[in-house]
Amino acid sequence: MRRIAGIVLAVLLIGGVVAAVVAGRKAEDTSTAAKTVRMVIGSEKADYFADPDVVKALAAKGYTVQAETSGSWAMEGLDLKGYDLAFPSSQAPAAQLAARYKVHGSLPRPFYSPLVVVAHRGAAEVLAANGLATLDTAHRGTLDMAAYLDAARHDRTWQQLKGAGAYGELGGTLFVASTDPETSNSGALYLAAASYVANDGRVVASDADLDRTAPLLRRLVSVQGAQQAGSDALFRDFVSGAGNPLVLVYESQVASLLADGQRPDDLVVLYPDTTVDSDHTVVPLTEDGRALAQLLSADPLLRKLAVRHGFRPQGAAAGFGTSETYLKKELTGVRQAPVPTSAVLHEMARRARGDDK
């Protein structure tokens, strides 16, 4: 009887150990799966984080993401208490947020996207016929920034361009529609690229530079009237056929559209010969936010999914696969303009919006 009792006790002890291990694993799985990261992002990344494959990939790593959208510069006015990270669309607003929330160390930049101008085919052909652009394919070309800014400086209209009369939708002042530079990253970077060209290939850095370039930048903005706060709505309006025939967007937005199987015959993508890359930069506010940022930068599947949504992963330009009928695989022939400091960009946007000193 003593021997039987010992065997039974041993079995019970082994069973208890096994149960404890299983319970421990279940508890660990539960705690991992329950790790929720709250973040505020630029609207152009909303589709990426809503992608079921991205959600699944993050869940496999133990994360659930709750993302809210905001204009990149507008994030500065938000109360980010309770958030794990902010994810604006470039380094300048990220640097402002990092200073405000005392975030030290390097800020992760998982991917980037250059600014491009999307045009309806008729508009692109008229620009090309008048020396304002060149076309490489039926759906891709280059915008001559110096020529375009000269046209803007002189308030040229579509009616003054040869060939425009064949297109009833081309009328009024020639301009590129952009987002509000005081709240949106793409609008601010548009001013950065335009001011660099207008300032004879030098980044705007002084009051004299601001005084010199402000009149032109004001023309670029004032002709548009009311502006959108984010590039996502601006691009959707263009695709639907509404709005201006020339619109400034992120290359990633076009690439994402193409990845969905859409090939608009009326779409032409013009790469400004002087543009600015939008480095999507993370401001980690908690350790969970920093861990997620590192995952976005390093995880092969998440990087591949970023490419699907049109973002160019840092350090892997060759991994950017797209339809070369519409987009450039390599950004050859496109000059990158340096971006002014945050303070200068803010002042530039303020003056462009009509607020004099």
Side-chain angles (χ1 to χ4, degrees), residues 33-42 49 58 62-69 75 78-88 97 101 282-293 296:
K35 189 173 290 185
T36 299
V37 176
R38 292 187 66 203
M39 60 184 180
V40 58
I41 63 174
F49 284 106
L58 289 171
Y63 291 97
T64 298
V65 167
Q66 293 180 353
E68 301 172 26
T69 61
M75 291 181 193
L78 300 178
D79 180 4
L80 297 182
K81 183 179 180 180
Y83 288 86
D84 295 289
L85 63 88
F87 202 173
L97 289 170
Y101 289 95
V282 179
V283 182
L285 303 173
T286 66
E287 286 305 313
D288 283 346
R290 184 169 290 279
L292 181 64
L296 293 173

Side-chain angles (χ1 to χ4, degrees), residues 21-35 59-64:
V21 170
V22 171
R25 285 179 179 170
K26 286 184 178 179
E28 182 181 343
D29 290 344
T30 300
S31 63
T32 300
K35 189 173 290 185
K61 296 295 183 179
Y63 291 97
T64 298

Side-chain angles (χ1 to χ4, degrees), residues 71 178 199 209 231 244 276 327:
S178 62
N199 202 35
D209 292 338
S231 60
N244 198 55
V276 176
L327 302 180

Side-chain angles (χ1 to χ4, degrees), residues 29-296:
D29 290 344
T30 300
S31 63
T32 300
K35 189 173 290 185
T36 299
V37 176
R38 292 187 66 203
M39 60 184 180
V40 58
I41 63 174
S43 62
E44 69 291 328
K45 292 184 284 289
D47 287 345
Y48 172 70
F49 284 106
D51 185 332
D53 289 335
V54 173
V55 172
K56 182 178 178 181
L58 289 171
K61 296 295 183 179
Y63 291 97
T64 298
V65 167
Q66 293 180 353
E68 301 172 26
T69 61
S70 167
S72 293
W73 285 106
M75 291 181 193
E76 189 178 342
L78 300 178
D79 180 4
L80 297 182
K81 183 179 180 180
Y83 288 86
D84 295 289
L85 63 88
F87 202 173
S89 302
S90 71
Q91 296 183 60
Q96 290 281 83
L97 289 170
R100 177 181 174 185
Y101 289 95
K102 297 180 174 56
V103 177
H104 304 292
S106 61
L107 301 178
R109 293 178 292 145
F111 40 71
Y112 69 100
S113 182
L115 290 170
V116 298
V117 173
V118 289
H120 295 302
R121 181 192 292 274
E125 291 177 349
V126 170
L127 291 179
N130 288 269
L132 298 173
T134 56
L135 298 179
D136 305 325
T137 73
H139 297 288
R140 190 192 69 219
T142 302
L143 178 69
D144 186 322
M145 279 291 283
Y148 163 67
L149 293 177
D150 183 67
R153 190 179 287 110
H154 292 93
D155 293 323
R156 293 182 71 180
T157 65
W158 284 104
Q159 290 90 336
Q160 292 173 320
L161 302 181
K162 63 182 180 181
Y167 304 96
E169 70 276 14
L170 299 181
T173 304
L174 168 69
F175 70 91
V176 172
S178 62
T179 54
D180 184 345
E182 290 192 294
T183 61
S184 172
N185 177 68
S186 60
L189 293 185
Y190 175 44
L191 299 186
S195 66
Y196 181 78
V197 176
N199 202 35
D200 299 323
R202 293 179 294 109
V203 64
V204 171
S206 65
D207 286 340
D209 292 338
L210 284 165
D211 292 340
R212 185 181 307 111
T213 57
L216 173 60
L217 300 187
R218 185 179 298 181
R219 285 178 183 271
L220 297 178
V221 171
S222 63
V223 71
Q224 300 185 46
Q227 292 177 289
Q228 298 273 14
S231 60
D232 189 53
L234 194 66
F235 183 58
R236 291 183 190 278
D237 284 348
F238 175 86
V239 172
S240 70
N244 198 55
L246 302 174
V247 177
L248 184 85
V249 299
Y250 296 107
E251 179 195 54
S252 60
Q253 292 169 294
V254 182
S256 181
L257 182 77
L258 299 175
D260 285 341
Q262 299 186 53
R263 295 290 190 273
D265 188 59
D266 189 44
L267 172 65
V268 179
V269 182
L270 299 175
Y271 286 80
D273 57 12
T274 301
T275 190
V276 176
D277 278 350
S278 180
D279 286 311
H280 296 268
T281 306
V282 179
V283 182
L285 303 173
T286 66
E287 286 305 313
D288 283 346
R290 184 169 290 279
L292 181 64
Q294 293 172 346
L295 191 64
L296 293 173

